[in-house]
Amino acid sequence: MTSALDESDKEKTRSVSVDLNNDASLLIDIPDALCERDKVKFTVHTKTTLSAFQKPEFSVPRQHEDFIWLHDTLVETEDYAGLIIPPAPPKPDFESPREKMHKLGEGEATMTKEEYNKMKQELEAEYLAVFKKTVQVHEIFLQRLSSHAILSKDRNFQIFLEYDQDLSVRRKNAKEMFGGFFKNMVKTADEVIISGIKEVDDFFEQEKTFLLDYYSKIKDSTAKAEKMTRSHKNVADDYIHISATLNTLSADDSTALKKHLDKLSDLFEKLRKVEGRVASDQELKLTELLRYYMRDIQAAKDLLYRRARALADYEHSNKALDKARLKSKDVPQAEEHQQQCLQKFDKLSESGKRELTSFKGRRVVAFRKNLIEMAELEIKHAKNNVTLLQGCIDLLKSN
Amino acid sequence: MADTARDPPPEQTDFQELEDGEDLFPEPAAAPESGPASLPAEDVSTNSNGPKQDSLFDDDPEDLFAEATEEVSLDSPERDVLLSDGPSPAITPITPPTSVITPRIGHAHDDMFTHSSFDEIEEEEGGDSFDIHIAVSDPEKVGDGMNAYMAYKVTTKTSLSVFKQGEFSVKRRFSDFLGLHSKLASKYLHVGYIVPPAPEKSIVGMTKVKVGKEDQSSNEFVEKRRSALERYLMRTVKHPVLLKDPDVLQFLESSELPRAVSTQALSSAGLLRMVNKAADAVNKMTIKMNESDAWFEEKQQQFENLDIQLRKLHASVESLVCHRKELSVNTALFAKSAAMLGNSEDHTALSRALSQLAEVEEKIDQLHQDQANADFYLFSELLGDYVRLITAVKGVFDHRMKTWQKWQDSQMLLQKKREAEAKLQFTNKPDKLQQAKDEIKELEGKVQQGERDFEQISKTIRKEVSRFEKERVKDFKSVIIKYLESLVQTQQQLIKYWEAFLPEAKAIS
């Protein structure tokens, strides 16, 4: 299935992050994507005025694994150690709608044809929603990079955007070269290392405490929000069944109830559409928001980790220098090593401070925007529901 | 299920929220308990033993055959009628022989229940506009341990002349309701009246209450039962014939009611009931009725379809109730999580907004809980009631078949006897011949009665079905409107909550 997302759609979907794609010198978007079995092929479209690129406008096909390669190479680049690397987009996950579709197939015999079709429609909409979400999340990743003063100039990033051949060969080489070493380290040991290091800087001390605690809380909130949204969807599905059975009852009925049942069936059909919208809006504005910033905070934690390692290295180099001075052996090398470590650490701290501050600002703005939008949508849907319900009540009473 | 720390809200407030203005727990005017019913000294119902035995209780599995002396068979009154010599043309729904119909009903009570009087009753209704309201309230646990039971207050408010007072209340327990139904069923079902079924027993639910578990699920069980008992009584009195039945009147008015012991699940009566039910099921399969009346065939098919669809709808609504309760629980969990997140947040304005979000979601989870209750008590229970009512309707159609069968059996027997008599004509046995002639005369009477019974039950069923359909339309319409109004209320509250939150979100800077 392909999906061409038009402008207004994109406006709505590009919601969880802010301040993206504002610079006309490098505009990136994913105008369409193809879903084959489980593999999604994204079309990455770039418009640029920068001379670093060969053409002013071009498109390339990319797979999810290409995005991961790009993310990993950025993480492994020493020069970027002091930056928050935008989190990698999660793998496209069609498991949930697929499972539901399977269950629906099994239960087909128990429902009327109409009911089955409606359920199928709902599931197809869910598929589409997952699809749109994955496109959005991959798009935002690229736009975060293009909006970043330093990362946008990365050579691998440019290759990713421009290279019109299959990237998979390059990907394999990269894996062999780096072996994912740094990445694995980060994933397993960061919290221990970060908490263990004695902090010299108040700012970072605060950030460390805050980020560690906030991460676990936001992770929990994301999971709970997801459960809440799923319950909403279940309620909407029940409305489908109720509407279908009311329809059958109405058809069979020969009393004055016939038209009442018919109206009621109609009402539930409309209500379930609204309920479905409530669920999907909540998912987008709340669950996705929380999930996105959970990953972002992990990226920030990674930055703290790298700085902590740099500090550890510096402290080791200090000790090594002292030892060297004691033994009066290899002192110049030890001195130079110590200088390097100090420079690296300072650079990380300076850039880290900048990154973390702007990160907080971005986060607050994004939360504000999404919470407002969610509240407004909830109000809109509830008002819609009231109109539908009141209309039906009036019709029933008037007969 | 719910792991919230909230105490279960008192039942009253839940209800007053849902059903605007309807006064479910009316304060009875300080009317003294109604004096002893003006019934003759004899016990009106045969289905209970004379002496009250307080040591017995509901659903007691140990009490297997304590009531061995009880007389029980539902068939016996019927048989009395058919075997009686007198040519009573009409079917009299029998209150068992030892009772006396009270004179206060105001009609010539001999033909009280003939079909012509049914018309009179309807006329009287026209004049005396249907004004009766029954409330079941104040569930109170009486006694301790496995002997305990729930007593409910039954309050009647009415202006109907058939009652002695305008407002009065009595205390009843669950088995009393079952006893009432059992009596009504034995009197009226076999002549075609649709007797509303009583609420179902629940050994598990009741045991929890007895054992003293004061938790949310046993509170819910009691509330569910209370509501079901109320609907049961209202449906029963809405039936013009049942309303005037002396057992019903005694149930509502009399301060003391003899224990209905035959309703115990494992008593000898209960076992006999089960055997009868099984026999009925077998009979139903073997009776092949020549339906000469298309109306009945059509109606039976309609009720069959209605049964299937209502059960399906009931299942869907039960699923809705379940999911909405889940939604409530998940919203509460999210609210707590959001509150923790707000505390952890170091940006002041955002922190406040997140705490506000947590508060809103907590209020919303209560909304969902209330809506789930409305889903259940209004929509789901309505459907459940009608599923059971349809079973009663189908039962009445089955009785008609049985009546037809009896008639046919009598006819066939008559035929045989006639043939036998013809043969006897050629033998020289005057005694046997006379006997045969007598038997034939008796059977002819029986056949005539059988035909009349069949016509009567057919006529009654037509009326009953028409009344039932009218009631169904009214019932559904009024409950659905109430239910939709509950949905509207929920949505309006949602609007309020989110509108209050919006400025908080905007205040983030």
Side-chain angles (χ1 to χ4, degrees):
Chain A
M1 105 178 116
T2 59
S3 158
L5 303 169
D6 59 37
E7 267 313 305
S8 60
D9 246 349
K10 288 212 287 185
E11 266 312 310
K12 279 188 231 137
T13 54
R14 194 195 307 135
S15 60
V16 283
S17 201
V18 290
D19 300 335
L20 292 177
N21 234 26
N22 289 331
D23 185 355
S25 66
L26 184 59
L27 292 171
I28 307 179
D29 70 329
I30 301 184
D32 62 67
L34 198 71
C35 187
E36 280 167 10
R37 299 240 66 209
D38 272 352
K39 288 236 166 280
V40 184
K41 274 200 164 67
F42 304 94
T43 305
V44 179
H45 168 251
T46 314
K47 233 167 141 178
T48 177
T49 57
L50 299 172
S51 53
F53 293 95
Q54 293 175 353
K55 289 186 270 195
E57 187 168 353
F58 47 88
S59 292
V60 292
R62 290 287 178 253
Q63 289 178 35
H64 171 74
E65 286 72 23
D66 300 328
F67 288 76
I68 300 300
W69 164 80
L70 178 58
H71 173 261
D72 290 351
T73 50
L74 294 173
V75 165
E76 314 255 338
T77 309
E78 276 284 327
D79 280 348
Y80 304 146
L83 307 175
I84 297 179
I85 310 288
K91 196 165 162 159
D93 179 18
F94 294 97
E95 189 54 45
S96 167
R98 199 173 335 120
E99 205 185 302
K100 275 171 112 172
M101 191 65 99
H102 186 68
K103 271 204 197 120
L104 179 65
E106 285 180 348
E108 185 176 356
T110 65
M111 351 184 163
T112 65
K113 190 150 179 272
E114 211 181 281
E115 214 174 324
Y116 176 76
N117 285 337
K118 290 232 172 78
M119 291 292 293
K120 191 146 168 269
Q121 246 176 34
E122 261 308 294
L123 274 180
E124 283 169 0
E126 209 176 302
Y127 247 111
L128 193 61
V130 170
F131 188 68
K132 279 195 184 147
K133 233 188 336 168
T134 193
V135 167
Q136 172 196 334
V137 111
H138 284 75
E139 192 181 72
I140 286 181
F141 171 69
L142 295 177
Q143 288 171 345
R144 284 278 296 273
L145 291 175
S146 68
S147 311
H148 195 286
I150 299 172
L151 292 172
S152 59
K153 301 194 177 64
D154 181 78
R155 180 73 193 121
N156 284 312
F157 181 44
Q158 288 173 354
I159 291 172
F160 177 91
L161 291 174
E162 217 177 16
Y163 189 63
D164 57 4
Q165 306 289 323
D166 194 352
L167 276 182
S168 48
V169 179
R170 281 194 97 95
R171 283 200 333 247
K172 244 194 287 185
N173 292 341
K175 252 209 162 68
E176 278 159 14
M177 270 173 39
F178 293 115
F181 169 72
F182 200 59
K183 195 159 68 120
N184 285 338
M185 286 291 299
V186 170
K187 290 237 178 323
T188 52
D190 59 358
E191 304 231 345
V192 175
I193 304 253
I194 295 176
S195 357
I197 292 292
K198 192 166 100 89
E199 192 44 77
V200 296
D201 186 334
D202 259 350
F203 173 83
F204 282 98
E205 179 64 35
Q206 265 182 331
E207 282 300 304
K208 182 175 72 172
T209 318
F210 167 66
L211 285 175
L212 285 180
D213 183 40
Y214 201 72
Y215 180 73
S216 69
K217 302 276 163 40
I218 200 172
K219 191 165 173 206
D220 184 59
S221 295
T222 307
K224 303 271 159 60
E226 200 174 2
K227 271 178 122 174
M228 191 168 68
T229 309
R230 219 174 312 144
S231 293
H232 262 299
K233 285 213 186 100
N234 285 338
V235 168
D237 283 347
D238 285 328
Y239 281 0
I240 295 181
H241 296 301
I242 292 174
S243 171
T245 315
L246 284 170
N247 203 8
T248 313
L249 277 169
S250 167
D252 288 347
D253 199 284
S254 51
T255 68
L257 266 184
K258 190 189 190 68
K259 44 182 168 28
H260 296 324
L261 292 169
D262 192 41
K263 278 180 216 134
L264 204 61
S265 162
D266 198 41
L267 172 69
F268 270 95
E269 171 59 21
K270 296 201 179 94
L271 284 178
R272 70 106 177 166
K273 288 217 175 92
V274 178
E275 201 63 33
R277 289 302 306 274
V278 170
S280 66
D281 285 341
Q282 197 180 69
E283 168 144 52
L284 214 55
K285 302 289 169 191
L286 190 62
T287 315
E288 276 307 297
L289 172 75
L290 292 170
R291 192 176 316 186
Y292 186 78
Y293 280 95
M294 176 183 80
R295 282 189 254 116
D296 233 357
I297 291 192
Q298 180 64 50
K301 272 170 46 176
D302 293 348
L303 167 58
L304 283 185
Y305 168 75
R306 290 194 290 270
R307 182 178 166 275
R309 285 224 56 178
L311 181 58
D313 287 345
Y314 172 61
E315 284 176 356
H316 284 153
S317 75
N318 263 339
K319 290 203 185 97
L321 181 58
D322 288 343
K323 240 204 249 170
R325 282 193 177 136
L326 229 58
K327 288 190 187 154
S328 296
K329 199 176 146 193
D330 294 327
V331 172
Q333 291 113 305
E335 271 178 352
E336 196 184 321
H337 182 58
Q338 191 238 34
Q339 275 300 101
Q340 275 177 346
C341 286
L342 182 60
Q343 266 177 349
K344 182 165 162 219
F345 176 67
D346 282 340
K347 188 170 146 215
L348 273 189
S349 297
E350 189 190 316
S351 138
K353 203 177 216 157
R354 239 192 345 256
E355 288 276 304
L356 286 170
T357 313
S358 84
F359 171 59
K360 184 188 312 273
R362 242 184 319 119
R363 187 167 57 82
V364 172
V365 171
F367 267 71
R368 178 179 187 278
K369 175 169 177 280
N370 281 282
L371 287 176
I372 292 175
E373 283 173 3
M374 182 175 77
E376 287 174 342
L377 283 168
E378 290 268 357
I379 293 170
K380 176 174 149 208
H381 292 316
K383 283 191 172 151
N384 204 356
N385 273 337
V386 169
T387 312
L388 287 172
L389 287 164
Q390 202 57 54
C392 189
I393 292 175
D394 293 339
L395 274 176
L396 288 177
K397 279 186 170 162
S398 72
N399 270 315
Chain B
M1 163 203 83
D3 62 349
T4 63
R6 288 198 301 272
D7 290 340
E11 291 141 41
Q12 270 96 323
T13 46
D14 264 355
F15 260 74
Q16 271 151 19
E17 250 174 80
L18 295 172
E19 307 187 49
D20 333 292
E22 194 176 301
D23 192 5
L24 283 185
F25 304 95
E27 302 281 272
E33 287 274 50
S34 49
S38 63
L39 288 169
E42 284 162 47
D43 195 9
V44 172
S45 80
T46 41
N47 284 348
S48 69
N49 268 338
K52 265 185 284 183
Q53 296 200 25
D54 292 320
S55 57
L56 298 167
F57 42 83
D58 261 354
D59 302 334
D60 173 28
E62 288 170 76
D63 177 47
L64 267 206
F65 293 101
E67 302 306 299
T69 56
E70 200 167 57
E71 63 181 78
V72 126
S73 163
L74 293 178
D75 276 337
S76 57
E78 194 175 46
R79 213 173 306 148
D80 282 343
V81 174
L82 291 173
L83 293 175
S84 71
D85 266 358
S88 59
I91 298 290
T92 41
I94 305 294
T95 56
T98 56
S99 75
V100 170
I101 300 168
T102 69
R104 65 189 167 165
I105 292 172
H107 284 281
H109 45 266
D110 287 322
D111 37 37
M112 168 85 228
F113 297 106
T114 61
H115 55 263
S116 56
S117 290
F118 190 8
D119 296 338
E120 287 173 42
I121 294 170
E122 285 177 9
E123 279 168 35
E124 181 190 281
E125 260 194 76
D128 197 0
S129 74
F130 187 74
D131 171 28
I132 174 168
H133 185 83
I134 303 182
V136 174
S137 63
D138 304 329
E140 209 177 41
K141 187 165 157 197
V142 176
D144 264 317
M146 289 309 286
N147 281 354
Y149 64 88
M150 272 302 190
Y152 300 88
K153 182 154 113 177
V154 178
T155 309
T156 313
K157 268 196 200 147
T158 178
S159 63
L160 294 174
S161 53
V162 75
F163 293 98
K164 289 189 289 194
Q165 291 172 301
E167 191 171 329
F168 47 90
S169 57
V170 294
K171 282 265 187 199
R172 295 286 178 254
R173 53 186 289 187
F174 186 64
S175 59
D176 294 335
F177 290 80
L178 294 182
L180 175 64
H181 174 258
S182 164
K183 290 178 208 165
L184 294 177
S186 70
K187 286 194 266 187
Y188 295 102
L189 269 183
H190 67 266
V191 286
Y193 290 102
I194 301 172
V195 177
E200 283 167 348
K201 289 190 208 240
S202 162
I203 295 185
V204 173
M206 209 40 219
T207 309
K208 268 204 215 158
V209 173
K210 288 194 230 232
V211 162
K213 275 188 88 179
E214 275 292 319
D215 67 352
Q216 185 153 13
S217 74
S218 57
N219 283 341
E220 274 176 15
F221 171 78
V222 171
E223 176 51 33
K224 184 175 168 187
R225 179 163 276 193
R226 182 211 67 77
S227 171
L229 292 173
E230 193 171 276
R231 292 193 309 272
Y232 165 65
L233 286 180
M234 280 304 286
R235 286 219 172 82
T236 305
V237 296
K238 278 204 180 113
H239 193 296
V241 169
L242 297 179
L243 171 61
K244 317 260 166 126
D245 181 280
D247 285 323
V248 171
L249 297 172
Q250 184 197 37
F251 180 92
L252 292 173
E253 286 182 318
S254 164
S255 56
E256 291 287 305
L257 206 62
R259 280 283 325 278
V261 170
S262 70
T263 58
Q264 282 163 7
L266 295 174
S267 66
S268 55
L271 288 175
L272 204 59
R273 258 199 300 275
M274 283 197 281
V275 169
N276 278 339
K277 259 202 197 131
D280 281 351
V282 172
N283 278 338
K284 194 163 143 193
M285 291 193 284
T286 54
I287 295 180
K288 275 271 178 296
M289 179 165 162
N290 293 334
E291 187 57 77
S292 51
D293 194 337
W295 184 91
F296 282 92
E297 204 168 318
E298 201 183 296
K299 279 296 166 191
Q300 256 183 307
Q301 190 56 52
Q302 270 178 15
F303 281 114
E304 202 58 53
N305 291 343
L306 188 58
D307 187 34
I308 295 172
Q309 294 305 321
L310 280 182
R311 279 177 201 267
K312 194 163 174 230
L313 187 58
H314 188 217
S316 296
V317 175
E318 283 188 319
S319 168
L320 174 66
V321 172
C322 180
H323 286 141
R324 228 195 278 274
K325 282 201 175 133
E326 253 176 43
L327 177 59
S328 165
V329 169
N330 288 336
T331 307
L333 290 175
F334 174 73
K336 285 207 185 89
S337 182
M340 303 258 290
L341 188 65
N343 281 341
S344 173
E345 173 64 60
D346 66 350
H347 184 275
T348 336
L350 180 54
S351 166
R352 192 174 47 238
L354 286 172
S355 305
Q356 293 288 72
L357 179 68
E359 269 181 43
V360 167
E361 294 286 0
E362 202 181 314
K363 289 198 198 118
I364 290 177
D365 104 66
Q366 185 59 46
L367 264 188
H368 287 312
Q369 179 67 32
D370 293 343
Q371 184 59 60
N373 282 337
D375 291 340
F376 180 73
Y377 284 104
L378 292 174
F379 205 3
S380 179
E381 288 283 78
L382 171 75
L383 295 169
D385 286 350
Y386 270 88
V387 166
R388 281 193 295 277
L389 271 167
I390 303 263
T391 308
V393 173
K394 294 208 287 189
V396 147
F397 276 89
D398 288 343
H399 274 293
R400 177 172 171 272
M401 278 213 294
K402 283 208 280 196
T403 309
W404 180 83
Q405 189 63 52
K406 276 207 171 82
W407 174 28
Q408 294 305 307
D409 289 346
S410 305
Q411 240 175 3
M412 284 204 294
L413 196 57
L414 177 63
Q415 183 69 15
K416 277 210 194 106
K417 291 281 177 192
R418 282 200 174 128
E419 284 169 10
E421 190 230 12
K423 285 203 192 125
L424 282 176
Q425 294 272 6
F426 298 110
T427 67
N428 197 13
K429 294 184 183 153
D431 303 334
K432 282 230 169 98
L433 193 59
Q434 186 55 39
Q435 186 188 31
K437 283 199 200 286
D438 291 339
E439 282 176 356
I440 287 174
K441 190 134 182 251
E442 197 181 315
L443 275 174
E444 279 173 349
K446 236 183 167 173
V447 167
Q448 276 182 335
Q449 183 63 45
E451 187 173 0
R452 276 192 297 263
D453 289 348
F454 180 70
E455 280 170 12
Q456 181 60 39
I457 196 176
S458 300
K459 188 166 172 188
T460 306
I461 289 180
R462 275 176 186 264
K463 273 217 185 81
E464 282 286 285
V465 166
S466 148
R467 193 190 60 84
F468 175 78
E469 295 283 66
K470 280 205 204 96
E471 266 308 306
R472 180 165 75 95
V473 173
K474 259 198 304 179
D475 218 353
F476 264 69
K477 192 166 157 187
S478 95
V479 172
I480 293 292
I481 289 178
K482 260 199 216 136
Y483 175 62
L484 293 182
E485 285 174 343
S486 83
L487 287 172
V488 171
Q489 252 192 335
T490 302
Q491 296 300 310
Q492 284 171 333
Q493 274 301 103
L494 272 175
I495 294 174
K496 274 208 201 101
Y497 291 151
W498 286 112
E499 280 181 342
F501 173 72
L502 199 51
E504 291 292 337
K506 289 189 172 157
I508 304 171
S509 56

